[in-house]
Amino acid sequence: MDIDIRTFVELQGVPFITNTVTTTWIIMIVMFAASMSVTRKLNMIPGTAQQIAELLMEGIHWLVDNTMGEDKMNFAPFILALSLFILISNFMGLIAVRHPTADLNTTFALAGITFLLVQYHGLRAKKLNYIKGFFQPLPFLFPLNLISELALPISLSFRLFGNMLGSIVIMIMMYMFVPILVPIIGHIYFDLFIGLIQTFIFVMLTMTFITLAMD
Amino acid sequence: MYTLLQFIIDSGFDWLAEQDPKALILAASAIGAGITMVARIGTAIGQGYAAGKAAEASAMNPQTIRQTTFVMLLGQAVTETSGIFSLVIALILLYTNPLVIASGIGIVLICSTLGAAIAMIAGFGPGVGQGYAAGQAIEAISYRSHMQGSIIRTMLLGQAIGQTTGIYALIVALILLYANPLL
């Protein structure tokens, strides 16, 4: 692993295909293939793969129901896909591949999806009142409201990016000084534990902000 | 023409101009790595508060010791985030400081290095705040242990928002190091 991102293809001096992009593609293919093969033949008596999938589905349904409310259950598939992608990305450090989430482009794209969803659903649920909300409590506070709205994707993306960059930097140092056995502890804490917590925080914040904008 | 070099010599920093600029940046990195560690004070205060609350909770309600210990460790681990951020900046400054090979005016490079380190002191606040949140969550769980799930979710959500200030500090530090507009 490296602190800098490796670029494979450049387009007019701008990195176009990097090692995080290829890892993202592989994760997408694996997730797509896994969900296709699980849902191909569904049985009343589920096999192991179907049981795991049902467990994930039920867990996410419980979480969405508790955080967003019964009327927003149609967000559950998006939340499940988002959390699985971030979770697998965060676990990539275990096989010495750079986490796609340790690339600002990936996390900013994910936070951008959340930002657009918040704006779209807020506008659809509250109509004119949503725009009026930007001019409250006083009309001249509009720039401040706009900045606080734009702070959401920035803080969301940098939270994930900063934590994963931290795990990369610390793991490199760990491998430099004690290359045997000790990095296992580091992997458990910085990849598994922090990865899980940060996935949960990203998904929870996404759900909370969408709910706040809609209600 | 009144250059920056002239200014440095005039203002009594003439010994700075005599040094090799690269050596000064390396020296600034060394000071900077030390300065970033100041943020750990806040993390320590927060973690200590959470530990104290856990001790109190286990004395008041011994049946919930396992739950409060779990929440204590979870809360302390999240509190550690700002400490990890400053550790990252310190390690970058020590091992792969990009400003060492960057081209620019020496004093600006030195100040950017120091500025990146000073920005990380902001991690003090999130450390204390997140530790306080963890402590209160532990107390809440010792009173109502059946609400554990929702208390932990609220705690993590609040701690994540409380972290935002520290994240802005990290953004400024990374901009100063990797995408400095002043060079």
Side-chain angles (χ1 to χ4, degrees), chain A residues 3 66-67 151 154-155 158-159 161-163 166 169-170 173 176-177 189-190 193 197 200-201 204-205 208, chain B residues 74 77-78 80-81 84-85 87-88 91-92 95-96 153 156-157 160-161 163-164 167-168 170-171 174 178:
Chain A
I3 292 182
N66 270 277
T67 324
I154 293 172
S155 68
F158 269 94
R159 183 174 294 118
F161 168 73
N163 276 287
V169 171
I170 291 170
M173 293 304 145
M176 217 151 101
F177 292 121
Y189 185 80
F190 288 106
F193 181 71
I197 291 274
F200 184 72
I201 285 175
M204 278 298 289
L205 285 175
T208 312
Chain B
L74 193 68
V78 180
E80 191 63 31
T81 315
I84 291 173
F85 284 169
L87 186 65
V88 167
L91 289 176
I92 288 175
Y95 289 97
T96 59
R153 266 190 299 141
L156 284 178
L157 202 61
I161 302 285
Q163 184 62 54
T164 311
I167 292 163
Y168 293 152
L170 182 73
I171 294 172
L174 287 178
Y178 285 100

Side-chain angles (χ1 to χ4, degrees), chain A residues 100-161:
Chain A
T101 39
D103 185 346
L104 202 48
N105 297 306
T106 315
T107 57
F108 217 80
L110 292 174
I113 295 170
T114 298
F115 178 71
L116 289 181
L117 275 178
V118 167
Q119 302 306 321
Y120 174 72
H121 284 285
L123 206 61
R124 222 178 65 160
K126 289 193 200 158
K127 307 257 160 41
L128 263 177
N129 276 337
Y130 184 73
I131 299 165
K132 219 195 267 171
F134 280 103
F135 294 95
Q136 269 158 3
L138 293 164
F140 71 84
L141 289 177
F142 172 69
L144 277 181
N145 283 331
L146 203 65
I147 289 170
S148 75
E149 202 70 24
L150 287 176
L152 156 74
I154 293 172
S155 68
L156 205 56
S157 56
F158 269 94
R159 183 174 294 118
L160 192 54
F161 168 73

Side-chain angles (χ1 to χ4, degrees), chain B residues 133-178:
Chain B
Q136 296 305 110
I138 292 161
E139 195 177 340
I141 281 174
S142 75
Y143 289 136
R144 284 184 178 41
S145 54
H146 59 281
M147 301 281 282
Q148 193 189 12
S150 49
I151 291 171
I152 289 177
R153 266 190 299 141
T154 315
M155 181 191 80
L156 284 178
L157 202 61
Q159 284 181 324
I161 302 285
Q163 184 62 54
T164 311
T165 320
I167 292 163
Y168 293 152
L170 182 73
I171 294 172
V172 170
L174 287 178
I175 286 174
L176 279 175
L177 289 176
Y178 285 100

Side-chain angles (χ1 to χ4, degrees), chain A residues 1-23 25 98 103 105:
Chain A
M1 273 199 290
D2 240 337
I3 292 182
D4 297 319
I5 297 165
R6 217 172 302 140
T7 309
F8 297 136
V9 180
E10 242 177 41
L11 210 71
Q12 289 166 349
V14 181
F16 194 60
I17 296 175
T18 57
N19 56 350
T20 53
V21 173
T22 47
T23 317
W25 287 343
R98 193 193 170 96
D103 185 346
N105 297 306

Side-chain angles (χ1 to χ4, degrees), chain A residues 26-65:
Chain A
I26 293 167
I27 293 173
M28 275 158 64
I29 293 168
V30 167
M31 275 175 70
F32 190 73
S35 46
M36 282 294 275
S37 70
V38 165
T39 51
R40 174 135 299 175
K41 33 184 199 293
L42 293 170
N43 288 323
M44 277 305 284
I45 304 150
T48 320
Q50 197 185 334
Q51 259 178 1
I52 294 168
E54 281 181 8
L55 206 69
L56 282 172
M57 244 354 248
E58 271 169 25
I60 289 293
H61 274 195
W62 179 86
L63 197 65
V64 172
D65 189 16

